[in-house]
């Protein structure tokens, strides 16, 4: 037994040794590169200790480093501080941005293929020109890293680059990247992905010709770049392009015709410009298109071309914030009977002065998952089509003036989000209206003209987490069915005609309660919560001393207790958040 084990161990040992000698799994750092990395680290400031693992002999196991497993050279340096943009300024213990300077010692990493310094904060320094000498780079991400000034043309030397991201969404006057003349860009002949969002290209009028030289490019992002866009392009060469984003450039011209020759295009974003003329019928040539965003222009003034119906792959169409004043929406029936009717999953046509009854062709869009028609002038009946895939329906802020159909659950069994607030809907809203809407999470019906009759025995869709019922006649009793909603996070019942005592369970029936608005009722409140983010209780009957409990609501950024009947002093602890 013992002998066998020793033999086995010996074999393992020999195998390991053999592997190492053959260089198959060598993964030990080169001394020159280790020194280069330490010099580079020396230049950085690292308040969060993100580089605390950068000690010891084997730099290949340091955080963010990868070495080639054959040669041991450092091939990857990933110090990106990746997190969602909306969390940009929420630093956790291990995500504080690096700052300081970028030491040219980096050039010691001659085999570096991948460099990511994104989402750090280099305080407005220029992108170092020497990065252009890291000749092996395939991947370069310097986005959101606090670089500013002229983008060095030396980057044009990176002829192997596939992926270049210099996007800079949190720019300011002292922290703004710009490009002067884009001739050098055309040198990046291997480029497949280019993101220059928020980089000023107003001094690079040749940008389109430069990009047109990339034979392989598949994604180009040029949002918020101060672009001028040429209408013509002699020969469209970048035909592998799948994604182009030209949004938010204040483009005034007609929608340029060369776009419609990019027949591989899957996503086209022209939103937030000032394109005036109608959508050209050539849009029908983009038969691979899946996402089309024309929001916030005036492209609909001339109508919607029939050829839009040919887009058999189109999933997502955003026409919101465009005026469509040319009368009868029913005339679009022909467009929406093309194959677009089977593919469309998202239709966003909010804030566009659409009027009349909901057009019948909406009922043909059987794949529809999300329909946004809020802030328009639709009147007449509620939306009443069988749309069995629909998950989100927002028809709030129109002037619908009939009653709510009782078979919502049969029409839209998959609904997760339903909002018909701020209309002129009439009749009585009862439990029957919500039967079968088992997946509902958001329900908004504030400010209509119907009476609400939801009995205390009602079992609401149990997954509801947001209820918005301002200006709805829910009272006079406190709606006790709320107690069944264990995941409720928003409870907004301002001016709901409630004249009652707040039940004892109210502050702990849900673990998720974040926003409570009970203002403009006649509610007697004697107990207060231990944790909430927003609490609005103005104009109620809260009498007596302001409760000390409230001292523990340290995260509370909004608290309104005005127009009640408090006596005594405001508790001392409120200095924390007032
Ligand atoms: C070496 O790296 C390559 C890619 O970098 C990988 O495909 C391969 O599996 C690795 N080999 C070993 C032995 O780890
Ligand atoms: C450009 O690349 C060449 C060859 O790799 C190199 O000799 C030259 O120094 C580089 N130029 C710059 C400005 O980095
Ligand atoms: C373009 O690349 C060539 C070699 O491939 C190099 O000599 C030249 O300096 C580069 N131009 C720029 C502007 O980087
Ligand atoms: C585009 O392709 C045409 C035809 O192949 C060629 O003549 C032209 O030089 C190319 N243009 C650019 C900017 O690469
Ligand atoms: C659209 O395609 C048709 C047929 O292939 C072609 O004749 C027309 O020129 C194209 N339009 C544009 C603007 O590319
Ligand atoms: C609904 O509103 C429209 C447009 O204002 C009006 O013509 C119609 O008579 C109203 N219908 C009802 C039932 O109130
Ligand atoms: C619709 O309701 C709004 C308030 O929600 C009201 O101002 C308006 O007069 C109503 N319109 C009709 C036609 O009833
Ligand atoms: C409440 O949320 C939790 C966690 O997301 C989930 O597991 C649970 O099923 C939810 N409860 C209901 C009734 O939807
Ligand atoms: C619920 O909250 C009330 C008031 O804050 C408290 O008196 C009661 O003990 C709580 N019940 C549970 C089960 O936590």
């Amino acid at each position: 037994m013992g002998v066998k084990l020793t033999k086995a161990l010996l074999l393992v040992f020999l195998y390991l040794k053999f592997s190492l000698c053959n260089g198959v799994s060598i993964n030990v750092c080169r001394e020159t590169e280790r020194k280069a990395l330490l010099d580079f680290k020396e230049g950085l400031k690292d308040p969060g200790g993100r580089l605390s693992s950068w000690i010891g002999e084997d730099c290949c196991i340091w955080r963010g480093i990868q070495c080639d497993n054959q040669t041991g050279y450092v091939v990857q340096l990933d110090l990106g501080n990746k997190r969602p943009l909306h969390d940009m300024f929420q630093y956790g213990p291990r995500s504080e941005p690096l700052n300081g300077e970028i030491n040219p010692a980096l050039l010691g990493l001659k085999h570096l293929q991948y460099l990511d310094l994104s989402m750090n904060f280099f305080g407005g320094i220029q992108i170092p020109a020497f990065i252009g000498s890291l000749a092996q780079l395939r991947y370069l991400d310097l986005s959101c890293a606090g670089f500013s000034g002229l983008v060095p043309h030396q980057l044009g030397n990176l002829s192997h680059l596939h992926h270049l991201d210099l996007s800079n969404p949190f720019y300011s006057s002292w922290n703004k990247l710009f490009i002067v003349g884009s001739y050098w860009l055309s040198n990046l002949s291997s480029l497949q992905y280019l993101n220059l969002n928020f980089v000023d290209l107003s001094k690079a009028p040749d940008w389109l010709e430069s990009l047109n030289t990339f034979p392989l490019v598949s994604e180009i992002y040029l949002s918020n770049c101060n672009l001028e866009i040429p209408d013509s392009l002699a020969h469209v060469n970048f035909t592998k392009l799948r994604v182009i984003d030209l949004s938010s450039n204040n483009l005034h011209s007609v929608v340029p015709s060369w776009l419609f020759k990019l027949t591989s295009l899957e996503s086209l974003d022209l939103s937030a410009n000032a394109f005036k003329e109608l959508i050209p019928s050539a849009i029908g040539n983009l038969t691979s298109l899946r996402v089309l965003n024309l929001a916030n222009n005036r492209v609909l003034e001339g109508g919607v071309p029939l050829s839009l119906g040919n887009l058999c792959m189109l999933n997502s169409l955003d026409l919101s914030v465009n005026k469509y004043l040319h009368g009868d929406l029913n005339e679009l029936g022909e467009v929406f009977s093309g194959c677009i009717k089977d593919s469309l999953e998202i239709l966003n046509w909010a804030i566009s002065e659409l009027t009349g009854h909901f057009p019948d062709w909406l009922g043909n869009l059987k794949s529809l998952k999300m329909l946004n028609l809020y802030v328009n002038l639709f009147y007449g009946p509620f939306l009443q089509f069988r749309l069995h895939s629909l998950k989100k329906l927002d028809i709030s802020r129109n002037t619908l003036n009939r009653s709510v159909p009782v078979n919502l659950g049969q029409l839209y069994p998959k609904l997760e989000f339903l909002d018909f607030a701020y209309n002129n809907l009439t009749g009585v809203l009862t439990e029957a209206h919500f039967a079968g809407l088992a997946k509902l999470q958001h329900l908004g019906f504030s400010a209509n003209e119907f009476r609400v009759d939801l009995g205390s025995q009602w079992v609401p869709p149990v997954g509801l987490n947001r209820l918005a019922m301002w200006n709805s006649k829910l009272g006079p009793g406190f709606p006790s069915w709320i107690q069944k909603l264990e995941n409720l996070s928003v409870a907004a019942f301002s001016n709901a005609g409630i004249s009652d005592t707040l039940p004892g369970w109210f502050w702990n029936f849900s673990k998720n309660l974040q926003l409570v608005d009970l203002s403009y009722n006649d509610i007697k409140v004697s107990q207060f919560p231990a944790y909430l983010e927003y609490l609005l209780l103005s104009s109620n009957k809260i009498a007596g001393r302001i409760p000390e409990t409230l001292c523990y609501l340290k995260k509370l950024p909004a608290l309104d207790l005005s127009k009640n009947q408090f006596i005594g002093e405001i508790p001392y602890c409120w200095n924390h958040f007032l």
Side-chain angles (χ1 to χ4, degrees), residues 148-195:
S148 74
L150 181 67
V151 175
H153 65 83
Q154 285 87 345
L155 296 188
N157 221 11
L158 300 174
S159 57
H160 296 296
L161 214 56
H162 294 173
H163 181 112
L164 177 60
D165 192 345
L166 303 178
S167 59
N168 189 29
F170 298 103
Y171 73 95
S172 60
S173 52
W174 55 271
N175 171 23
K176 197 168 171 60
L177 282 170
F178 59 94
I179 287 176
V180 176
S182 61
Y183 62 96
W184 57 270
L185 271 173
S186 23
N187 246 14
L188 304 177
S189 53
S190 307
L191 215 58
Q192 295 171 21
Y193 175 104
L194 176 65
N195 192 335

Side-chain angles (χ1 to χ4, degrees), residues 8 20-21 56 80 95 118 188 288 305 370 372 407 417 445 492-493 508 515 546 550 556 570:
L20 285 170
C21 294
S95 66
S118 65
L188 304 177
S288 303
M370 182 173 127
N372 281 341
N407 58 345
F417 182 110
F445 59 67
F493 306 109
N508 49 19
L515 185 153
I546 296 177
L550 290 181
L556 197 72
I570 293 178

Side-chain angles (χ1 to χ4, degrees), residues 24-25 69-70:
V24 175
S25 58
N69 55 17
Q70 309 275 324

Side-chain angles (χ1 to χ4, degrees), residues 167-234:
S167 59
N168 189 29
F170 298 103
Y171 73 95
S172 60
S173 52
W174 55 271
N175 171 23
K176 197 168 171 60
L177 282 170
F178 59 94
I179 287 176
V180 176
S182 61
Y183 62 96
W184 57 270
L185 271 173
S186 23
N187 246 14
L188 304 177
S189 53
S190 307
L191 215 58
Q192 295 171 21
Y193 175 104
L194 176 65
N195 192 335
L196 298 177
N197 287 347
F198 294 90
V199 177
D200 190 331
L201 294 182
S202 60
K203 297 204 176 70
D206 50 344
W207 64 271
L208 181 59
E209 282 142 62
S210 302
L211 304 196
N212 192 33
T213 59
F214 300 152
L216 304 173
V217 73
S218 96
E219 295 178 51
I220 295 179
Y221 300 88
L222 299 173
S223 176
N224 289 280
C225 292
N226 261 321
L227 291 179
E228 295 288 331
I229 197 167
D231 178 46
S232 64
L233 190 60

Side-chain angles (χ1 to χ4, degrees), residues 210-475:
S210 302
L211 304 196
N212 192 33
T213 59
F214 300 152
L216 304 173
V217 73
S218 96
E219 295 178 51
I220 295 179
Y221 300 88
L222 299 173
S223 176
N224 289 280
C225 292
N226 261 321
L227 291 179
E228 295 288 331
I229 197 167
D231 178 46
S232 64
L233 190 60
H235 195 275
V236 176
N237 293 12
F238 53 166
T239 51
K240 293 229 161 54
L241 203 60
R242 290 188 305 105
V243 178
I244 188 164
D245 181 352
L246 299 170
S247 62
S248 302
N249 280 297
N250 196 25
L251 296 167
H252 278 80
S253 60
V254 293
V255 180
S257 54
W258 54 266
L259 277 174
F260 304 108
K261 295 187 178 140
L262 298 170
T263 48
S264 302
L265 219 52
E266 292 172 19
S267 172
L268 172 59
D269 191 341
L270 299 176
S271 62
N273 282 297
F275 288 121
K276 288 194 264 292
E277 310 263 319
L278 63 163
I279 318 170
S281 62
I283 197 144
N285 284 18
L286 301 181
T287 49
S288 303
L289 214 54
R290 294 172 188 278
V291 177
L292 176 59
N293 190 344
L294 297 170
N296 206 349
N297 279 286
R298 290 170 60 192
V299 285
L300 294 177
E301 287 196 357
V304 177
L306 259 181
S307 63
L308 197 68
N310 300 346
L311 302 182
C312 307
M313 309 293 270
L314 200 71
N315 305 137
S316 171
L317 175 61
D318 192 340
L319 301 173
S320 58
V321 204
N322 273 291
K323 285 189 181 161
Y324 184 76
L325 299 174
H326 293 263
D328 198 350
L329 276 176
N330 289 304
E331 282 168 10
L332 298 183
E334 207 174 334
V335 176
F336 288 95
S337 61
C339 61
I340 191 178
K341 78 173 192 306
D342 301 315
S343 60
L344 208 58
E345 296 180 1
I346 298 174
L347 177 58
N348 196 347
W349 203 343
I351 322 178
S352 296
E353 302 186 24
L354 305 178
T355 184
H357 290 187
F358 290 123
D360 286 342
W361 52 259
L362 283 171
N364 299 339
L365 307 178
K366 294 298 181 199
S367 305
L368 216 53
K369 292 186 176 150
M370 182 173 127
L371 180 58
N372 281 341
L373 297 172
Y374 54 83
V375 193
N376 278 302
L377 298 165
F378 286 111
Y379 58 81
F382 203 91
L383 192 84
Q384 304 195 55
F385 306 110
R386 256 169 225 285
L387 296 173
H388 282 186
S389 303
L390 202 63
K391 293 184 173 174
K392 175 172 179 187
L393 176 62
D394 193 340
I395 50 175
S396 62
R397 294 177 196 269
N398 279 277
T399 53
L400 303 172
N401 58 355
R402 306 267 180 86
S403 57
V404 180
V406 282
N407 58 345
L408 289 177
Q410 282 156 20
L411 298 173
Y412 316 116
K414 295 227 173 74
L415 270 195
E416 293 169 8
F417 182 110
L418 173 60
D419 206 315
F420 48 93
Y422 296 92
N423 275 287
N424 298 66
L425 293 158
T426 59
V428 184
L429 200 65
T430 66
E431 296 158 27
H433 286 93
F434 302 106
L437 295 177
K439 298 195 152 79
L440 212 57
Q441 294 175 11
H442 170 110
L443 176 59
F445 59 67
S446 308
N448 275 283
E449 278 150 37
F450 44 65
R451 188 162 65 78
V452 182
D453 182 8
L454 297 168
S456 58
Q457 298 310 305
W458 183 41
V459 181
V462 290
L464 273 174
N465 61 46
R466 288 190 304 274
L467 280 177
M469 300 171 175
W470 288 286
N471 305 332
S472 290
K473 295 166 197 98
L474 287 177

